[in-house]
Amino acid sequence: MPTGTTRTYGELAQSLNNAPRAVGQACGANPYPLVVPCHRVVAAGGGLGGFNRHGGGFLLEVKRWLLRHEGSLPR
């Protein structure tokens, strides 16, 4: 995805003919979050979702910071 672009778990899953939960699990297991930008995958309702298998705390703040830094916080 181009810098500043986000997609929901559902949108990404649909493009892969897969389920949103599978996309979430793959993003959570991503050992290279800055190379494979899973921080740009967000929840359908405009929330952040999770990051690195965490739904809150420091790592979700890292996701928020990365999105803000790129100018792509969800709507």
Side-chain angles (χ1 to χ4, degrees):
M1 290 187 284
T3 301
T5 302
T6 59
R7 286 194 182 172
T8 67
Y9 295 96
E11 290 169 338
L12 194 52
Q14 186 175 18
S15 72
L16 298 169
N17 295 318
N18 212 323
R21 186 173 298 245
V23 171
Q25 289 173 341
C27 287
N30 179 8
Y32 308 107
L34 295 178
V35 177
V36 180
C38 62
H39 67 278
R40 294 191 199 142
V41 183
V42 296
L48 294 180
F51 189 54
N52 199 259
R53 294 188 175 150
H54 290 81
F58 173 74
L59 289 176
L60 196 60
E61 290 304 314
V62 169
K63 181 176 184 172
R64 183 175 282 112
W65 183 88
L66 287 167
L67 290 170
R68 191 173 288 131
H69 177 72
E70 294 177 345
S72 58
L73 268 174
R75 33 200 181 303

